[in-house]
């Protein structure tokens, strides 16, 4: 069995999870990565997607997050998620709504840079939706 | 002197008032517990956010995003005033608005322009009479049962929109910090430009552990600062919610006690008067019998 480390998932409203785990896959904005014990300190933003938590004992958990930050340090991994819920309880209608909002943002965006940013956000949401559905 | 019937009516009316204040007190107590729990539950995120922010602020070279360093000016101040949606909470709303006005006078004495953003119905009610020209926007959460991140998010976006439009240079929030049921401290806190007073110690920490940043520290900071503003707003709202219930609870406790005192006083004068009436009647009967 691999070494374990402390994983904390916090949303603005409360501490959602604080567990000893062996591995966590995080949807970083520059690509997915998996954190295991003794990972080098990293700080990154995360995009909407699924966090895969492998606890020390018991089944894997899939948690859907909507962006946030990941902070890996010597004490473990801390995920500051804007919004998080178990992947199978995700409100698809709400997600579709935010995709629609994002589409409108793309349409409304002025200037190349803003447009690219909005498009990027939309793509991330779509990708997350596809990941959830599949 | 009021008649016996009047006294009886008054006692009945004070009694029903007491019932209402008592019920309000108990409701406030129950809500207070929930509000306190919510405030406590939000603390880990705020703490971690502060730690992350301090860490990254030490890693960024050069200037941060404008939300962090400000516009370089100090001309126009925006005060975001948080109050409750309802009254009957003692001096709760009044003390927050009072602090906001104090700040306004102080800033205006220094020759600065002050604008307000009223959050909560009471802030608007209390300030619109003389300050309506200075209130740029108002928000209320009448239909929101439990304040959450959604509201903070919305409000944060609005504040940042105003900032992007160059409506103000410095933004502070005015709310009531919850200490306990009896004490709530009206507090003003600057959120834009970000107050990174804790950043000094972080630099040492940042040097100790070599972090990798992905994407660039500046890019993370760009995403982090707006979120931090929202978190601070959420913190203010949750503290305020707890303070409101605390203030209402003690105000209603006082009211209940006052009503009790009043009932006692009224009952005494009611009994006295009744006694006096009986005595008068007896005297009349006896003197009538003696006259025969």
């Amino acid at each position: 069995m691999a070494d374990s480390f402390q994983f904390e998932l916090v949303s603005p409203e409360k501490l959602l999870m604080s567990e000893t785990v062996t591995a966590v896959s995080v949807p970083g904005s520059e690509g997915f990565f998996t954190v295991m014990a003794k990972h080098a300190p990293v700080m990154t933003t995360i995009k909407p997607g699924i966090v895969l938590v492998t606890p020390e004992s018991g089944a894997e958990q899939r948690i859907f997050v909507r962006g946030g930050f990941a902070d890996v340090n010597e004490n473990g991994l801390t995920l500051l998620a804007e919004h998080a819920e178990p992947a199978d309880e995700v409100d698809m209608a709400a997600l579709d709504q935010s995709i629609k909002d994002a589409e409108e943002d793309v349409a409304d965006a002025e200037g190349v840079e803003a447009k690219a940013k909005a498009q990027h956000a939309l793509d991330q949401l779509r990708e997350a939706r596809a990941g959830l559905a599949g | 002197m009021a008649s016996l019937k009047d006294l009886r009516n008054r006692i009945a009316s004070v009694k029903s008032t007491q019932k209402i204040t008592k019920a309000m007190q108990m409701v406030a107590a129950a809500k207070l517990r929930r509000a306190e729990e919510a405030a406590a539950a939000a603390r880990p995120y705020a703490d971690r956010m502060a730690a992350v922010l301090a860490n990254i602020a030490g890693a960024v070279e050069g200037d941060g995003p404008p939300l962090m360093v400000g516009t370089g000016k100090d001309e126009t101040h925006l005060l975001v005033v948080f109050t409750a949606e309802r009254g009957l909470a003692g001096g709760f709303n009044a003390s927050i608005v009072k602090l906001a006005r104090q700040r306004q006078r102080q800033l205006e004495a220094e020759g600065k322009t002050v604008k307000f953003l009223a959050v909560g119905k009471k802030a608007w009610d209390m300030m619109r009479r003389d300050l309506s020209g200075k209130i740029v926007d108002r928000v209320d959460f009448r239909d929101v049962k439990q304040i959450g991140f959604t509201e903070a998010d919305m409000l944060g976006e609005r504040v940042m929109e105003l900032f992007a439009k160059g409506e103000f240079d410095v933004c502070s929030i005015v709310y009531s910090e919850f200490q306990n049921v009896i004490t709530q401290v009206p507090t003003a806190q600057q959120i834009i430009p970000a107050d990174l007073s804790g950043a000094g110690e972080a630099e040492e920490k940042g040097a100790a552990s070599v972090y990798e940043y992905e994407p660039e520290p500046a890019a993370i900071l760009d995403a982090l600062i707006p979120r931090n503003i929202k978190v601070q707003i959420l913190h203010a709202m949750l503290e305020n919610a707890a303070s409101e219930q605390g203030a209402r609870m003690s105000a209603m406790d006082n009211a209940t006690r006052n009503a009790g005192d009043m009932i006692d006083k009224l009952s005494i004068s009611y009994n006295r008067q009744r006694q006096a009436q009986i005595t008068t009647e007896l005297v009349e009967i006896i003197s009538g019998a003696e006259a025969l």
Side-chain angles (χ1 to χ4, degrees):
Chain A
M1 199 75 190
D3 287 347
S4 57
F5 63 100
Q6 188 66 25
F7 167 64
E8 282 185 347
L9 176 64
V10 274
S11 81
E13 278 143 27
K14 62 181 181 205
L15 181 66
L16 287 167
M17 198 187 241
S18 178
E19 268 181 59
T20 318
V21 296
T22 52
V24 180
S25 293
V26 183
S29 51
E30 312 267 284
F32 276 80
F33 64 98
T34 300
V35 180
M36 299 183 85
K38 303 195 181 83
H39 193 288
V42 173
M43 186 175 301
T44 181
T45 51
I46 54 178
K47 60 180 184 180
I50 292 163
V51 176
L52 195 64
V53 183
T54 317
E56 215 171 15
S57 55
E60 279 185 344
Q61 294 177 41
R62 296 167 78 227
I63 301 161
F64 177 68
V65 295
R66 280 204 190 181
F69 298 90
D71 176 15
V72 185
N73 56 29
E74 61 271 33
N75 304 323
L77 166 66
T78 308
L79 263 186
L80 298 172
E82 201 150 277
H83 176 94
E85 55 195 335
D88 34 340
E89 287 172 24
V90 174
D91 185 353
M92 279 299 189
L95 188 58
D96 286 340
Q97 182 60 43
S98 28
I99 290 178
K100 207 178 258 172
D101 290 346
E103 277 167 357
E104 280 164 18
D105 284 349
V106 173
D108 293 346
E110 285 165 26
V112 183
E113 205 172 309
K115 199 142 207 147
K117 216 170 170 181
Q119 184 64 44
H120 187 58
L122 173 62
D123 290 346
Q124 286 186 341
L125 277 171
R126 282 204 177 128
E127 202 181 316
R129 171 112 181 43
L132 272 175
Chain B
M1 197 77 181
S3 75
L4 275 182
K5 187 162 187 296
D6 286 342
L7 278 174
R8 252 199 320 264
N9 284 345
R10 278 205 66 188
I11 292 174
S13 107
V14 175
K15 263 192 187 150
S16 51
T17 309
Q18 189 188 28
K19 262 184 212 154
I20 293 169
T21 57
K22 181 99 195 169
M24 280 183 79
Q25 185 210 335
M26 288 196 289
V27 170
K31 281 194 181 159
L32 171 67
R33 208 172 34 103
R34 234 180 306 149
E36 259 187 294
E37 272 165 18
R43 222 155 278 155
Y45 190 88
D47 289 350
R48 303 262 151 60
M49 179 67 95
V52 170
L53 194 63
N55 176 323
I56 206 160
V60 174
E61 289 149 18
D63 285 348
L67 279 171
M68 189 169 112
V69 294
T71 51
K73 284 184 295 180
D74 183 24
E75 289 303 311
T76 315
H77 284 245
L78 178 75
L79 294 180
V80 185
V81 184
F82 291 85
T83 59
E85 298 300 332
R86 291 184 188 82
L88 287 180
F92 175 74
N93 293 316
S95 65
I96 294 172
V97 173
K98 198 173 123 202
L99 179 71
R101 280 177 202 268
Q102 222 173 330
R103 293 273 298 189
Q104 176 219 355
R105 274 196 298 274
Q106 193 188 333
L107 288 166
E108 282 181 345
E110 289 167 19
K112 314 236 156 80
T113 320
V114 179
K115 290 174 180 172
F116 287 97
L117 182 99
V119 183
K121 181 169 165 286
K122 287 285 156 185
W124 167 250
D125 282 350
M126 292 169 83
M127 296 197 301
R128 71 171 162 193
R129 216 173 317 130
D130 51 333
L131 297 172
S132 60
K134 294 186 169 141
I135 300 179
V136 285
D137 204 351
R138 54 188 279 228
V139 181
D140 63 43
F141 299 114
R142 289 227 78 164
D143 336 310
V144 182
K145 266 204 176 130
Q146 176 76 47
I147 294 283
F149 191 65
T150 336
E151 287 77 41
D153 190 61
M154 190 271 277
L155 197 58
E157 289 295 340
R158 232 187 248 202
V159 170
M160 281 180 272
E161 208 174 288
L162 288 172
F163 183 76
K165 276 195 249 161
E167 290 269 340
F168 63 88
D169 303 313
V170 178
C171 173
S172 306
I173 48 179
V174 184
Y175 65 100
S176 190
E177 184 94 36
F178 180 80
Q179 283 192 340
N180 54 44
V181 180
I182 309 161
T183 334
Q184 298 90 28
V185 191
T187 317
Q189 189 191 352
Q190 184 178 321
I191 56 169
I192 302 173
D195 180 14
L196 291 176
S197 43
E201 54 187 294
E203 269 172 70
E204 296 162 32
K205 220 179 95 194
S209 57
V210 185
Y211 262 90
E212 257 177 64
Y213 296 98
E214 196 190 285
E216 290 303 299
I220 301 187
L221 202 57
D222 264 345
L224 197 64
I225 293 283
R227 210 153 307 176
N228 187 49
I229 289 170
K230 288 174 197 168
V231 167
Q232 280 176 319
I233 289 176
L234 177 69
H235 171 77
M237 291 201 296
L238 291 173
E239 286 287 332
N240 230 21
S243 297
E244 179 198 345
Q245 299 305 340
R248 175 161 304 126
M249 197 175 124
S250 47
M252 286 303 125
D253 186 41
N254 278 340
T256 311
R257 218 165 312 144
N258 266 346
D261 289 350
M262 208 158 178
I263 290 171
D264 285 351
K265 268 189 212 141
L266 287 173
S267 311
I268 287 174
S269 66
Y270 173 78
N271 287 341
R272 282 231 179 96
Q273 219 171 325
R274 194 173 57 100
Q275 204 86 61
Q277 210 171 17
I278 293 168
T279 318
T280 329
E281 271 172 25
L282 274 178
V283 168
E284 273 166 14
I285 293 168
I286 294 167
S287 50
E290 269 177 3
L292 283 176

